[in-house]
């Protein structure tokens, strides 16, 4: 089954990200957050986290299909 990117309403911006984007030192993550706040001060972010074991298994399956 091919993954379908969800659609956003006209007044919404939908951004899908890789889990790697959330990695980094505390300083790196704080700089990213400050950059978002500076560029979009009224932005509201929703972060959904998966079960780490389920997410790791999904990543391994995806890598096996891609490589």
């Amino acid at each position: 089954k091919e993954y379908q990117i969800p659609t956003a309403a006209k007044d919404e911006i939908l951004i899908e990200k890789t889990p790697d984007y959330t990695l980094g030192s505390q300083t790196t993550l704080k700089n990213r957050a400050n950059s978002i706040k500076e560029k979009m001060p009224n932005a509201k972010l929703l972060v959904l986290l998966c079960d780490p074991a389920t997410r790791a298994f999904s990543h391994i399956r995806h890598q096996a299909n891609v490589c």
Side-chain angles (χ1 to χ4, degrees):
K1 178 179 173 183
E2 187 174 319
Y3 176 73
Q4 297 294 317
I5 297 175
T7 56
K10 290 182 181 185
D11 63 341
E12 296 176 327
I13 299 172
L14 175 66
I15 301 171
E16 297 234 49
K17 55 96 192 139
T18 174
D20 293 343
Y21 188 73
T22 61
L23 300 177
S25 67
Q26 185 174 4
T27 301
T28 299
L29 296 175
K30 187 168 186 167
N31 288 342
R32 285 182 190 147
N34 286 334
S35 177
I36 292 169
K37 184 176 182 180
E38 195 176 291
K39 291 176 174 97
M40 299 178 291
N42 296 318
K44 294 179 181 158
L45 305 177
L46 176 64
V47 177
L48 302 175
L49 301 175
C50 300
D51 171 57
T54 302
R55 177 67 189 100
F57 183 67
S58 173
H59 179 74
I60 291 167
R61 276 194 342 213
H62 175 74
Q63 289 299 103
N65 289 332
V66 172
C67 298

